[in-house]
């Protein structure tokens, strides 16, 4: 009884092992024209790790008489359930004779044991030929160039003409811009000497030259009153250089101390007498008038004024028109250059589409 069980178990295991190997084959198209190709797929399902040997063919080797193998691809492996794998291999077949071909079973070896796929059929059809009208057969034609069509080139030609004309116009505008010289309109920042500083510096010069004790009193009083007049012009804003002494005093009464103005009036009266009436003064009187001029300047000076002056350029109408025309020329050149670049890109694109 034990021997019977062992034999039954052995037979069962063998059957189970055999049942785990499946071989199948299929063809993509069972009907092709002469020279066409079709794929035959051979698949083997076996346990993982099994040694599988599938048939191998060389290019142009016949699988059966009249059917040859064009190409054989590498096998693909796909995992299955229960520890099985499926190995598939594709064979590309073709034929050049019209017939119905019988494709015999393909032999596969798994772990040294041989298995076979099912047989297949392949029908090869010929191209129908009208043998009754041989005059309709023509020899092969040579390679021909595409005919020239003006409709394909007209837009490219127009774009090219516009591109050239725009370049010429840009060059013309550029020459106009070069001939139209720019107007230099720079704002200048200069350092300004305050009126009282300039006046005191001039009085110091008069004092150093000792003109108060000089016999030429007319020159002394002329220079001293000119210093005072220039100071009044810069400090109070009216043109004292073109006014008489009385007019200057009348204007100053609106601004300063009456005592100081009276002392300045005495200075102007003395200066007028010396210059126009040949009046002679004493040295002490000259010094007193000099001191009065200094005190007037010190009492009316403004020290919190800025010593930096911004000088705006004065442009004529021609200068302004020139600047506007240069700006328009520059803007026009920039816009035309951008248009020309876009046009060049379009021309290159059209040329690439034609070729």
């Amino acid at each position: 009884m034990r021997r019977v069980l062992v034999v039954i178990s052995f037979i069962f295991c063998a059957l189970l092992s055999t049942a785990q190997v499946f071989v199948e084959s299929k063809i993509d198209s069972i009907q092709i024209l002469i020279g066409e190709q079709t794929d035959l797929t051979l698949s083997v399902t076996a346990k993982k790790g099994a040694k599988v040997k599938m048939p191998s063919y060389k290019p142009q080797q016949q699988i059966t008489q009249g059917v040859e193998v064009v190409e054989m691809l590498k096998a693909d492996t796909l995992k299955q359930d229960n520890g099985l794998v499926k190995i598939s291999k594709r064979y590309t077949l073709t034929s050049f004779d019209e017939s119905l071909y019988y494709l015999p079973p393909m032999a596969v070896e798994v772990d040294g044991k041989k298995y076979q796929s099912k047989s297949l059929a392949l029908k090869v059809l010929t191209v129908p030929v009208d043998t009754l009208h041989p005059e309709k057969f023509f020899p092969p034609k040579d390679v021909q160039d595409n005919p020239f069509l003006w409709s394909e080139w007209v837009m490219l030609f127009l774009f090219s003409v516009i591109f050239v004309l725009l370049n010429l116009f840009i060059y013309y505008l550029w020459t106009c811009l070069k001939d139209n010289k720019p107007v230099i309109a720079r704002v200048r920042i200069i350092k300004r000497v305050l009126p009282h500083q300039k006046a005191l510096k001039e009085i110091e010069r008069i004092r150093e030259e000792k003109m108060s004790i000089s016999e030429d009193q007319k020159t002394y009083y002329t220079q001293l009153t000119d210093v005072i007049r220039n100071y009044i012009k810069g400090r109070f804003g009216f043109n004292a250089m073109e006014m008489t002494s009385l007019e200057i005093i009348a204007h100053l009464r609106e601004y300063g101390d009456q005592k100081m103005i009276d002392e300045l009036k005495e200075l102007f009266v003395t200066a007028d007498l010396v210059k126009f009436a040949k009046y002679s003064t004493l040295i002490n009187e000259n010094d007193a008038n000099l001191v009065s001029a200094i005190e007037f300047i010190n009492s009316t000076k403004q020290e919190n004024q800025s010593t930096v002056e911004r000088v705006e350029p004065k442009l004529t109408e021609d200068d302004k028109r020139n600047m506007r025309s240069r700006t328009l020329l520059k803007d026009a050149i920039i816009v035309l250059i951008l248009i020309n670049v876009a046009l060049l890109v379009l021309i290159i694109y059209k040329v690439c589409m034609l070729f």
Side-chain angles (χ1 to χ4, degrees):
M1 188 66 182
R2 184 179 299 175
R3 292 179 179 179
V4 173
L5 291 176
V6 172
V7 172
I8 293 174
S9 300
F10 179 76
I11 295 172
F12 179 77
C13 291
L15 292 175
L16 184 61
S17 176
T18 303
Q20 289 181 339
V21 178
F22 302 96
V23 179
E24 61 178 338
S25 62
K26 61 180 180 178
I27 192 168
D28 290 349
S29 177
I30 62 172
Q31 182 174 299
I32 62 174
L33 292 176
I34 289 178
E36 284 188 339
Q37 298 177 358
T38 185
D39 288 337
L40 186 151
T41 304
L42 178 64
S43 301
V44 179
T45 303
K47 64 181 180 179
K48 186 177 180 181
K51 294 182 179 181
V52 178
K53 185 178 180 181
M54 306 180 77
S56 178
Y57 299 94
K58 296 180 180 180
Q60 297 183 351
Q61 182 179 353
Q62 293 187 352
I63 193 171
T64 188
Q65 186 67 33
V67 179
E68 62 183 47
V69 177
V70 177
E71 183 183 16
M72 181 180 63
L73 302 179
K74 292 183 179 180
D76 294 330
T77 303
L78 182 64
K79 290 183 180 180
Q80 303 290 318
D81 296 334
N82 301 325
L84 300 177
V85 293
K86 185 177 183 179
I87 303 172
S88 301
K89 200 168 189 178
R90 300 184 66 177
Y91 303 86
T92 302
L93 308 179
T94 188
S95 178
F96 298 96
D97 293 321
E98 180 184 13
S99 181
L100 177 61
Y101 294 97
Y102 167 76
L103 303 181
M106 302 181 72
V108 178
E109 188 175 321
V110 180
D111 289 334
K113 190 172 181 178
K114 294 184 178 181
Y115 300 88
Q116 285 188 341
S117 66
K118 64 181 180 180
S119 60
L120 299 173
L122 176 63
K123 186 175 183 180
V124 180
L125 302 176
T126 186
V127 178
V129 178
D130 187 4
T131 58
L132 298 177
H133 301 87
E135 69 278 1
K136 293 184 178 180
F137 289 92
F138 301 99
K141 295 182 179 180
D142 295 333
V143 178
Q144 297 182 356
D145 295 331
N146 291 329
F148 177 80
L149 297 177
W150 174 249
S151 59
E152 296 179 351
W153 291 86
V154 62
M155 293 303 298
L156 182 61
F157 176 75
L158 292 177
F159 288 154
S160 301
V161 171
I162 295 173
F163 178 77
V164 173
L165 293 177
L166 282 179
N167 277 316
L168 294 176
F169 189 54
I170 291 172
Y171 177 75
Y172 170 74
L173 294 180
W174 176 253
T175 55
C176 293
L177 184 63
K178 289 178 63 177
D179 295 337
N180 191 1
K181 295 183 179 180
V183 177
I184 301 175
R186 295 191 180 96
V187 178
R188 292 184 299 147
I189 305 298
I190 60 175
K191 191 173 182 180
R192 183 166 64 92
V193 180
L194 297 179
H196 70 273
Q197 294 175 343
K198 186 176 181 181
L200 291 175
K201 185 176 180 180
E202 289 294 322
I203 290 176
E204 185 63 27
R205 179 186 63 78
I206 294 173
R207 176 185 292 175
E208 290 178 355
E209 293 179 358
K210 297 181 180 181
M211 298 184 66
S212 61
I213 60 177
S214 174
E215 294 181 359
D216 190 2
Q217 295 182 355
K218 182 178 179 179
T219 303
Y220 169 70
Y221 277 100
T222 300
Q223 293 187 8
L224 183 60
T225 53
D226 285 346
V227 171
I228 297 299
R229 288 172 183 270
N230 282 317
Y231 168 72
I232 292 173
K233 179 180 179 182
R235 167 63 179 84
F236 297 101
F238 60 88
N239 191 5
M241 298 297 295
E242 304 295 333
M243 292 178 154
T244 64
S245 300
L246 294 178
E247 290 175 341
I248 294 173
I249 296 302
H251 277 78
L252 288 176
R253 291 190 186 279
E254 302 176 4
Y255 298 97
D257 184 4
Q258 294 300 323
K259 181 181 178 181
M260 190 62 60
I261 294 174
D262 290 339
E263 293 179 357
L264 184 65
K265 180 180 179 182
E266 292 181 6
L267 169 60
F268 277 117
V269 170
T270 302
D272 290 340
L273 291 174
V274 171
K275 290 189 290 183
F276 304 112
K278 297 182 180 180
Y279 176 74
S280 297
T281 59
L282 299 176
I283 295 176
N284 291 338
E285 190 176 1
N286 295 338
D287 292 337
N289 287 328
L290 184 67
V291 172
S292 296
I294 294 174
E295 290 179 352
F296 172 74
I297 293 171
N298 287 329
S299 63
T300 57
K301 65 182 179 180
Q302 289 181 327
E303 295 183 347
N304 57 351
Q305 290 180 308
S306 174
T307 58
V308 177
E309 185 177 359
R310 177 186 175 93
V311 180
E312 298 282 348
K314 295 182 179 180
L315 301 177
T316 63
E317 290 297 325
D318 292 337
D319 293 336
K320 293 179 181 178
R321 283 195 297 270
N322 189 16
M323 294 179 67
R324 287 195 296 268
S325 63
R326 283 186 61 84
T327 303
L328 290 176
L329 285 174
K330 289 180 180 178
D331 294 342
I333 290 173
I334 293 173
V335 171
L336 290 177
I337 288 176
L338 294 176
I339 294 175
N340 236 15
V341 171
L343 194 58
L344 179 60
V345 173
L346 182 60
I347 291 173
I348 294 174
Y349 172 75
K350 289 286 186 181
V351 171
C352 293
M353 292 297 293
L354 288 175
F355 293 99

